[in-house]
Structures are given as C-alpha cells and as structure tokens.
Amino acid sequence: MVSYRTEAEVLMRSIQDAISSGLEQEDGGARFHEDIWEHHSGGGGRSRVISRGKVFEKGGVNFSAVEGSLPAFLGPHITPGASRIFATGVSIVIHPTSPLVPIIHANVRYFESDKGDRWFGGGIDLTPVYVVDAQAAQFHRTLKAACDTLDAGAYQRYKQAADNYFFIPHRNETRGIGGVFYDYLKPGESYSFEQLFQFTQTIGSAFLPAYLPVVQAQKHLPWTPEEKQWQLIRRGRYVEFN
C-alpha cells in the first residue's frame, strides 16, 4: 500500500503556518501561543491560540496528525477489515473583537486507513453578525475560484453542502452566509489523488484572501454596546449548530 501520510502532514503544517502568520500580521499586536502535544496512540499536534489582540478577541489555528484504532462511525466509508486510521488536518475558528468583523471557521483534513482507503474533507464558512452584501459576494467569489480548480460544478455542490450543514431547522436560521463544505473525497474515477491533494492545498490557501479583505474593510469602524451584545447573542447560538 502506498502511503501519503508524510506528504499530507507536511501540507497541513504549511497551511497552519501560513494562516497563523497572516492573521498575526493582520492583528498587528497579539501573537499565537503554541502548545505542542502528543496523542496517546500515536502522533500529536500543534495548538495555536491568539487572544486579546487589536482585532481578534480569541481564535485558534490548530494542526494535528494522529493515528489510532478505527472509530465505528467510519465503518461505512472504508474497506472491510480496516482497523487503524491516520488523520491529519488544520482546524480554525476566529472570533474578532468588533461585532462588525465576521467570525470565520475553516478546516482541511486527510484520512488514510491501513487498508489503503484515502480521502479528503474540508471547508470554509463566514458568520457576520451584520452582513455587508458586497463583502459576502467577494468571500464567495474567492471560494468559487478555488473550487473551479477542481471542476466547474464543485462550487455549487460544496456551497449547497455548507448551506445544508450550517442550518438550524427549528429556528429556520443559518449560521451565517455559508461557504463551502466537502467530505469523503476519494481518489477514483472522477479525481486522482494528486488532484484532490492540490484542491485541498488550494482551499487552505484561499482562507486569507477570502477573509482578510473583509477584516480590513470592517476592523476600524466604530461599534456600539448594543452591537456587541448582539454579537454575544449570536455566539451563544453556536452550540445549536454543533
């Protein structure tokens, strides 16, 4: 079996480094604090947290590359008889201080089983407390350009998946303006491993150009205590999306 775990881990580390650096530069004050940890069954990660910055109140850009016994929920997606899994990825949540700067979430990930199963997943979505239509359009244009590198229909598929995923039916409410979301993208008839690897790199690289123009347009605008309170209420809904 050919393993790509080393290449995938290097990719995820580079994505974490680029995004951490870009956010630090944008904040202009706070820096990420890093904790390096080990997983009990193999591998580990680098957790990076920024807090009390000029722009970002708190956020994490976290990398992991771990291995262990196969979780039962992955059974339907892999070859029978697989018992071990390797997973690596980057997960991001950024909460700005200003209620006028949107919250953002993103992740990219790669899995590999001991029976040769391989797949990618990921996505980016934006949660403005106050929506600015032109900025929402710019955010989605950037994601569409990234998705177009895979195929012409990718953006619409993955946008719809994000819209479905980040929706509370009992409130008839979305988490924000959406984005793109994909999972279980496996090499096969439609895409080669190299295409999916490059696509994941492209999605990771799209984070800063999708997000920073919105931050730059909003971060210096004055805001009121009432707007801050609404931001806190919106944050309180997050548990419902999880």
Side-chain angles (χ1 to χ4, degrees):
M1 183 194 84
V2 177
S3 173
Y4 295 94
R5 57 190 292 173
T6 300
E7 292 88 340
E9 182 175 342
V10 169
L11 171 63
M12 299 305 173
R13 286 180 181 272
S14 69
I15 290 172
Q16 184 196 34
D17 287 341
I19 291 174
S20 300
S21 176
L23 291 173
E24 282 184 347
Q25 291 179 35
E26 187 62 38
D27 187 87
R31 299 185 65 83
F32 280 92
H33 173 78
E34 179 176 273
D35 288 318
I36 298 176
W37 52 271
E38 295 182 356
H39 191 261
H40 63 86
S41 61
R46 305 186 302 195
S47 296
R48 292 179 180 170
V49 174
I50 192 169
S51 61
R52 299 178 181 178
K54 295 180 179 179
V55 178
F56 304 119
E57 185 172 344
K58 194 163 189 179
V61 179
N62 299 320
F63 157 82
S64 61
V66 300
E67 59 182 304
S69 300
L70 184 74
F73 73 88
L74 288 178
H77 301 284
I78 63 167
T79 301
S83 61
R84 300 282 294 178
I85 193 78
F86 168 78
T88 185
V90 177
S91 178
I92 304 161
V93 181
I94 302 296
H95 287 277
T97 300
S98 168
L100 305 183
V101 178
I103 303 157
I104 193 166
H105 311 78
N107 69 85
V108 283
R109 53 194 182 273
Y110 169 73
F111 293 83
E112 186 176 288
S113 83
D114 57 353
K115 289 291 185 179
D117 306 285
R118 303 189 298 274
W119 70 91
F120 293 89
I124 306 175
D125 71 282
L126 195 69
T127 306
V129 177
Y130 296 94
V131 178
V132 178
D133 290 343
Q135 293 167 8
Q138 174 271 322
F139 177 79
H140 276 276
R141 280 196 303 271
T142 304
L143 296 186
K144 183 179 185 302
C147 290
D148 285 349
T149 65
L150 185 64
D151 69 61
Y155 169 73
Q156 193 56 48
R157 292 195 306 273
Y158 303 149
K159 177 184 180 300
Q160 187 62 56
D163 289 344
N164 294 341
Y165 193 75
F166 300 117
F167 179 74
I168 303 177
H170 72 272
R171 290 191 185 276
N172 193 32
E173 181 179 296
T174 62
R175 187 163 81 176
I177 63 164
V180 294
F181 178 77
Y182 61 96
D183 208 357
Y184 301 111
L185 281 186
K186 300 181 178 182
E189 294 182 3
S190 299
Y191 312 109
S192 67
F193 176 87
E194 290 73 19
Q195 286 175 304
L196 297 182
F197 188 95
Q198 181 61 49
F199 176 59
T200 297
Q201 185 175 41
T202 301
I203 290 294
S205 297
F207 178 90
L208 293 175
Y211 186 46
L212 293 189
V214 182
V215 175
Q216 291 159 2
Q218 298 294 106
K219 67 181 182 179
H220 295 302
L221 299 179
W223 46 272
T224 66
E226 291 76 18
E227 289 170 328
K228 184 67 175 180
Q229 180 62 25
W230 180 236
Q231 179 197 50
L232 299 178
I233 291 171
R234 291 293 296 164
R235 282 181 185 173
R237 297 279 176 86
Y238 273 30
V239 66
E240 300 187 37
F241 289 99
N242 292 328

